[in-house]
Amino acid sequence: SAVGNGTQFAVSIPLQAHADHSAAEDHEDRSPLPQMDWAGRTCLVADDTPLNILVLRAQLERRGCTVLTAVNGRQCIDVWMEEGGRVDFILTDIWMPVLDGLEAAKELRELGADLPIIGLTADFTSAIAQRGQQAGMTSVLLKPITWDLLERVLVSSLPCRPSSSHTPPSVVSSLSSLPAVERAE
């Protein structure tokens, strides 16, 4: 045989991507899914990859959420300080420049943020999950996130909301000195 002479083959394999499915779903809890009320919720998405922000924004807005964005942990804290009274939950990449998601979560908790902070990472390990928990994250999820799992985390983390109003961060810090009141469930 001679180089450059011979038969060439082209193989085309059709692939249908399902935006709401990932390999992680194969290992998820299949118990009935609690209902998540997305309408009127506000999510702060922090990620240094524009495509990730675009995808998360589209998915969240399609479900009825308002989406605020940040490109690093420092900006995430700044947006929360400015808009914290209306932010219901935060989705943050763990590894970002300037300030990573772990340090941002830690600072947010120190500032009195009591909302769910969900860490997102493509390199999930038990050590990363533990670091997320130590930093004050509610949960750490594998990218791409599965919406069923995200809903389970949020339903168990978000307070029931009789109204869509939230207490601004400045009021939260002044209320933290009051005695705790137990709620009857």
Side-chain angles (χ1 to χ4, degrees), residues 8-70:
Q8 292 184 347
F9 292 93
V11 178
S12 176
I13 301 173
L15 174 66
Q16 288 184 311
H18 298 282
D20 289 342
H21 180 82
S22 77
E25 287 180 336
D26 296 335
H27 303 287
E28 282 183 10
D29 178 8
R30 297 287 183 194
S31 59
L33 181 65
Q35 290 297 309
M36 172 68 182
D37 181 12
W38 294 97
R41 298 277 189 187
T42 298
C43 175
L44 172 52
V45 175
D47 200 305
D48 61 318
T49 304
L51 182 59
N52 290 344
I53 288 177
L54 180 74
V55 169
L56 285 170
R57 177 187 291 251
Q59 292 284 342
L60 290 162
E61 286 178 347
R62 189 177 73 198
R63 287 167 169 79
C65 277
T66 298
V67 179
L68 306 173
T69 62

Side-chain angles (χ1 to χ4, degrees), residues 80-141:
W80 180 80
M81 292 292 292
E82 188 174 312
E83 303 283 347
R86 67 185 193 116
V87 175
D88 292 290
F89 61 98
I90 296 173
L91 300 178
T92 181
D93 185 20
I94 289 186
W95 310 119
M96 295 181 287
V98 181
L99 187 71
D100 67 34
L102 296 167
E103 287 299 316
K106 185 177 177 185
E107 283 191 39
L108 285 162
R109 294 299 188 213
E110 289 170 356
L111 291 167
D114 64 350
L115 70 170
I117 301 173
I118 312 298
L120 306 176
T121 183
D123 61 338
F124 185 88
T125 65
S126 59
I128 290 172
Q130 184 176 15
R131 287 180 64 191
Q133 183 181 14
Q134 291 168 345
M137 290 182 169
T138 308
S139 186
V140 176
L141 302 179

Side-chain angles (χ1 to χ4, degrees), residues 138-153:
T138 308
S139 186
V140 176
L141 302 179
L142 178 66
K143 288 182 184 179
I145 60 172
T146 61
W147 291 98
D148 288 352
L149 182 57
L150 178 61
E151 284 190 9
R152 287 180 197 282
V153 170

